[in-house]
Amino acid sequence: MVKKIYIDGYHGTAGLEIDDLLSPRNDLEVLKLSKSTRSSSIEERIELMKGSDATILCLPNVASKEIMSKVKNDDDLNDKPLIDTSSQFRLDSGWTYGLPELSETARKEIAESKRVANVGCHASAFILAIKPLIDAEFIRKQCIVTAASQTGYSGGGKEMIEKYEALNSKNCSEGIGVELYNLQSNHKHLEEMRLRSGLEKSPIFMPAVGNYYRGLCLSVGFHRSQIVPKCSIHDKCFEILKSHYSNSSLVKVNNSFSENSLRAERLSANLNARRNFADIFVSGSSDTVQVTLAMDNLRKGAATTAVQNLNLMLGISEYRGLL
């Protein structure tokens, strides 16, 4: 039986990516408002939600909050799966956190949930890189962790895309290189990153935007003095990550010290552009370990994970339409 999926806000970056992943599938029918009617009232959009088997909200935080205020008391929608791709509900105890690779328990909770808050790109990359190491007590949860992350300008949404593409089209002599932000250490995802990774203190997070459309690369590094085991730290780090993601088809772990694997001496931030998987590289020096994750900020950082969550909630194979 074909399932009907309503995408509210499909003209945004996340919505377009999700539509691109779902539309080719013969087991799903995508419902969406046309451009001429996308200013429809909330009531009209709720009717589309009622006519679907599941809904994916691809709206700004305020708009998601507004529509959910109407939905939460509607008996016809209480049992219908809903995924929200904004950051509005990621710390809400009434919602399930939508990152299946956290654990088998997380997968089960997503599959049984009717309300899933989909993870975003920077937070997803940070949590995927560090949480297994904290869970395995490779590093202490009391550590002050520093992370550097660079994403393409599509990560900033419509306004940032328009800004970069307007300047690029004019061939401005000064151009736009890499723009650092969060210089006041007040990034809106810091609490999410701390809580979902298992850290006791918020990380020192240094994000940047590069002058390319899509792709993200995040690195975290640790000195031997921060690491609990006193064995071969690179092998142990690789072993923990490899074991954790052994059943995850969309996260690949690479040991940069192995002669048989890709050596991550240089990595492009858009290495995995338009791909659904993330690569994790373990590298460093004799006294340090560096964990670097490369993925597409629009795919594995948003849309791909939303499709994983949708599949689980509908009782479909998690990776259908993604491999």
Side-chain angles (χ1 to χ4, degrees):
M1 180 179 176
V2 174
K3 300 281 190 181
K4 294 182 178 181
I5 312 301
Y6 171 49
I7 303 176
D8 193 341
Y10 94 99
H11 289 93
T13 51
L16 288 170
E17 290 292 320
I18 293 170
D19 183 35
D20 188 49
L21 291 170
L22 296 184
S23 291
R25 290 173 52 171
N26 58 15
D27 62 324
L28 302 177
E29 177 188 350
V30 179
L31 308 179
K32 51 200 176 187
L33 293 168
S34 66
K35 284 186 178 181
S36 61
T37 60
R38 56 180 166 160
S39 60
S40 300
S41 68
I42 287 182
E43 287 71 25
E44 290 175 283
R45 290 151 61 199
I46 287 176
E47 285 306 308
L48 271 173
M49 294 170 72
K50 289 180 179 180
S52 67
D53 294 289
T55 294
I56 304 177
L57 299 181
C58 301
L59 304 169
N61 283 20
V62 172
S64 281
K65 185 177 180 180
E66 180 184 15
I67 198 165
M68 287 309 303
S69 69
K70 303 288 186 181
V71 166
K72 66 180 181 180
N73 296 320
D74 193 315
D75 293 338
D76 293 334
L77 291 171
N78 284 340
D79 290 328
K80 286 183 179 286
L82 187 147
I83 297 168
D84 181 70
T85 64
S86 77
S87 61
Q88 179 65 41
F89 303 107
R90 292 180 195 161
L91 298 176
D92 191 317
S93 60
W95 288 66
T96 301
Y97 194 62
L99 184 56
E101 286 88 358
L102 280 175
S103 65
E104 288 306 312
T105 299
R107 284 187 169 92
K108 185 173 185 293
E109 289 175 350
I110 292 166
E112 295 175 352
S113 179
K114 299 300 181 185
R115 298 289 181 265
V116 168
N118 202 69
V119 69
C121 59
H122 285 303
S124 177
F126 180 78
I127 295 161
L128 290 172
I130 195 175
K131 182 169 173 54
L133 302 178
I134 294 170
D135 289 347
E137 298 184 346
F138 181 77
I139 56 170
R140 295 177 178 86
K141 61 184 179 181
Q142 298 88 355
C143 278
I144 303 296
V145 176
T146 299
S149 185
Q150 180 172 306
T151 185
Y153 57 78
S154 60
K158 183 179 178 180
E159 285 188 17
M160 185 172 287
I161 291 170
E162 290 176 350
K163 166 189 168 182
Y164 272 78
E165 293 188 346
L167 288 172
N168 288 338
S169 68
K170 295 176 182 176
N171 294 316
C172 294
S173 58
E174 71 275 14
I176 301 180
V178 176
E179 291 187 299
L180 304 178
Y181 67 104
N182 188 44
L183 300 179
Q184 287 77 39
S185 296
N186 58 356
H187 197 280
K188 65 180 181 178
H189 299 322
L190 280 176
E191 180 59 14
E192 176 188 350
M193 293 162 72
R194 182 199 67 78
L195 179 66
R196 302 301 182 181
S197 66
L199 288 172
E200 288 189 355
K201 299 179 178 67
S202 294
I204 298 169
F205 182 47
M206 301 180 295
V209 177
N211 192 5
Y212 59 96
Y213 188 73
R214 59 198 305 154
L216 180 148
C217 197
L218 177 141
S219 288
V220 291
F222 309 98
H223 189 268
R224 184 181 289 275
S225 61
Q226 295 175 279
I227 296 168
V228 177
K230 300 305 177 186
C231 54
S232 173
I233 57 176
H234 304 101
D235 289 345
K236 185 64 176 177
C237 182
F238 172 74
E239 174 189 311
I240 291 167
L241 292 168
K242 188 74 173 177
S243 174
H244 182 86
Y245 294 113
S246 60
N247 294 322
S248 299
S249 298
L250 298 182
V251 180
K252 304 176 183 179
V253 182
N254 306 273
N255 188 348
S256 299
F257 288 89
S258 168
E259 293 181 0
N260 298 320
S261 69
L262 174 66
R263 295 187 61 83
E265 293 167 350
R266 292 190 180 187
L267 284 174
S268 171
N270 58 0
L271 171 71
N272 282 327
R274 300 207 69 84
R275 296 173 179 170
N276 289 320
F277 60 84
D279 270 304
I280 295 177
F281 299 93
V282 179
S283 58
S285 67
S286 59
D287 286 321
T288 63
V289 171
Q290 185 167 320
V291 179
T292 303
L293 185 143
M295 67 181 181
D296 187 322
N297 56 294
L298 296 180
R299 286 289 178 97
K300 189 67 187 87
T304 298
T305 301
V307 174
Q308 287 177 257
N309 292 329
L310 177 69
N311 287 339
L312 289 167
M313 295 171 82
L314 294 177
I316 299 170
S317 171
E318 179 182 342
Y319 304 112
R320 183 157 186 174
L322 298 173
L323 298 176

